[in-house]
């Protein structure tokens, strides 16, 4: 069965009624841009999902025919030579709509980086995000899930922070962020895996690259080697903290660290120092 023959086509969302359709042309809903050929699901209330859809939607009676099934999987006709196209849709899985078919999604965007870099960029509420997929709450008029393709400024009560580009933002602004390219640089520290942002402006995430650092305020330790996977807490002004045991209080507490210069930076400064000294005749 061909999906484009059983999913309706339209170019508007009527509030208050659940709808599932392919956009017949570009349009906007509550200021949110939606491009032609996008797949749109609106639950009739607080959720508009574009292009990333849970396949359970096909049991909700929103299409003109029932899809055939192989066990718990829905079966569809294969239409293209796209390497990511799937013809079995797992009932509990999600897929990414690609003009006229679903592409496989395994929970990250490794295989979509080239596409993200080449498809249109959309704008909403001063956020530049990928048209690959996004989720919008029309009641609050806010983006919920999206991929930011430019740095993302977030205003907090006492400060503002600037997150790097290419994050998969989930339950924006204060829940999870996944680097699309696996790692990001934030205040000269590489972070990986999922990141969490607190309303205090602290970004918490796992370290992606080993480095040495000085420890401030610890009674015994002065330097430390920060291994991969170490949990880092980075404030909006770039202060880095880690969890360490404090023998004086017999508790695990947060201590500020200062990243040491890497060998390349140290060598460059040493070389420049020697050159300066020779020029000055020291």
């Amino acid at each position: 069965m061909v999906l484009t023959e059983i999913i309706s086509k339209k170019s508007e969302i009527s509030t208050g009624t659940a709808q599932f359709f392919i956009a017949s042309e570009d349009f906007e809903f509550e200021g949110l841009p939606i491009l032609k050929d996008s797949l749109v699901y609106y639950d009739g209330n607080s959720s508009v999902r574009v292009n990333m859809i849970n396949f359970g939607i096909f049991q909700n009676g929103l299409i003109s025919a029932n899809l055939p099934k192989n066990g718990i999987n829905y079966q569809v006709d294969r239409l293209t030579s796209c390497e990511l196209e799937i013809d079995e849709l797992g009932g509990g899985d999600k897929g990414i709509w690609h003009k006229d078919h679903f592409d496989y999604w395994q929970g990250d965007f490794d295989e979509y980086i080239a596409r993200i870099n080449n498809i249109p960029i959309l704008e909403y509420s001063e956020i530049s995000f990928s048209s690959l997929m996004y989720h919008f709450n029309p009641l609050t008029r806010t983006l919920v899930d999206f991929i930011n393709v430019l740095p993302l400024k977030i205003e907090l009560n006492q400060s503002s922070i600037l997150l790097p580009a290419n994050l998969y933002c989930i339950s924006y602004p204060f829940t999870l962020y996944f680097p699309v390219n696996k790692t990001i640089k934030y205040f000269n520290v590489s972070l990986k895996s999922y990141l969490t942002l607190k309303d205090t402006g602290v970004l918490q995430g796992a370290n992606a690259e080993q480095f040495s650092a000085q420890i401030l305020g610890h009674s015994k330790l002065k330097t430390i080697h920060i291994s991969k996977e170490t949990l880092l807490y980075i404030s909006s002004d770039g202060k880095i903290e880690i969890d360490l045991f404090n023998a004086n209080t017999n508790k695990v507490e947060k201590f500020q660290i200062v990243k040491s210069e890497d060998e390349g930076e140290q060598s460059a400064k040493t070389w420049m120092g020697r050159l300066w000294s020779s020029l000055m005749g020291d």
Side-chain angles (χ1 to χ4, degrees):
M1 190 168 286
V2 178
L3 288 171
T4 52
E5 294 178 356
I6 61 173
I7 301 174
S8 63
K9 296 179 177 61
K10 54 188 295 190
S11 59
E12 63 177 355
I13 293 176
S14 303
T15 57
T17 304
Q19 292 145 78
F20 183 52
F21 62 91
I22 299 168
S24 57
E25 58 184 279
D26 295 355
F27 72 99
E28 290 189 356
F29 176 63
E30 301 291 354
L32 178 77
I34 297 174
L35 301 180
K36 180 182 178 182
D37 295 327
S38 296
L39 185 64
V40 181
Y41 169 63
Y42 169 54
D43 71 351
N45 185 31
S46 62
S47 178
V48 175
R49 296 185 179 274
V50 181
N51 291 335
M52 182 183 281
I53 306 294
N54 190 304
F55 297 138
I57 188 69
F58 291 108
Q59 62 189 12
N60 289 356
L62 296 175
I63 56 176
S64 62
N66 293 324
L67 288 174
K69 298 184 75 173
N70 177 17
I72 62 172
N73 297 334
Y74 297 102
Q75 292 185 300
V76 297
D77 291 348
R78 191 173 185 89
L79 299 176
T80 74
S81 59
C82 175
E83 293 182 354
L84 297 177
E85 182 179 0
I86 51 177
D87 53 17
E88 288 207 359
L89 317 180
D93 296 334
K94 291 180 180 179
I96 294 180
W97 183 252
H98 188 194
K99 294 185 179 179
D100 55 9
H101 65 272
F102 280 107
D103 286 346
Y104 178 65
W105 187 64
Q106 57 182 356
D108 59 40
F109 294 94
D110 282 9
E111 297 174 293
Y112 293 92
I113 292 173
R115 191 183 302 175
I116 291 170
N117 291 335
N118 287 287
I119 61 177
I121 296 172
L122 304 179
E123 301 278 341
Y124 183 81
S125 189
E126 299 184 350
I127 297 174
S128 298
F129 61 100
S130 174
S131 56
L132 182 76
M133 53 70 61
Y134 49 103
H135 178 200
F136 176 72
N137 184 332
L139 300 184
T140 59
R141 295 189 177 184
T142 55
L143 284 165
V144 183
D145 305 342
F146 58 93
I147 296 170
N148 67 311
V149 293
L150 293 178
L152 182 62
K153 186 177 183 180
I154 301 176
E155 299 291 345
L156 305 172
N157 292 330
Q158 299 179 345
S159 62
S160 64
I161 69 170
L162 189 67
L163 293 178
N166 295 320
L167 293 171
Y168 175 32
C169 309
I170 303 176
S171 297
Y172 172 81
F174 293 125
T175 306
L176 296 177
Y177 296 83
F178 288 83
V180 170
N181 296 318
K182 295 300 185 184
T183 65
I184 60 164
K185 278 282 189 180
Y186 188 63
F187 286 103
N188 200 34
V189 174
S190 292
L191 299 174
K192 61 181 292 188
S193 187
Y194 67 86
L195 315 171
T196 59
L197 177 66
K198 307 300 182 184
D199 56 9
T200 57
V202 173
L203 186 69
Q204 174 182 318
N207 178 43
E209 293 180 351
Q210 301 179 41
F211 65 89
S212 297
Q214 296 177 319
I215 307 172
L216 306 183
H218 197 281
S219 59
K220 294 184 177 180
L221 298 174
K222 300 302 178 185
T223 61
I224 192 171
H225 180 75
I226 305 297
S227 60
K228 292 182 180 180
E229 309 296 339
T230 299
L231 196 59
L232 304 179
Y233 308 88
I234 306 178
S235 67
S236 59
D237 59 0
K239 182 174 70 175
I240 307 170
E241 293 183 328
I242 60 172
D243 293 319
L244 285 174
F245 182 74
N246 187 342
N248 293 332
T249 62
N250 204 33
K251 295 179 180 178
V252 174
E253 299 177 0
K254 288 181 175 57
F255 286 87
Q256 184 179 352
I257 62 172
V258 177
K259 185 178 180 182
S260 302
E261 298 171 345
D262 62 33
E263 293 181 1
E265 292 173 328
Q266 291 176 354
S267 298
K269 286 194 173 183
T270 300
W271 181 82
M272 287 297 293
R274 290 174 178 169
L275 177 61
W276 180 255
S277 295
S278 66
L279 291 174
M280 296 298 293
D282 293 347

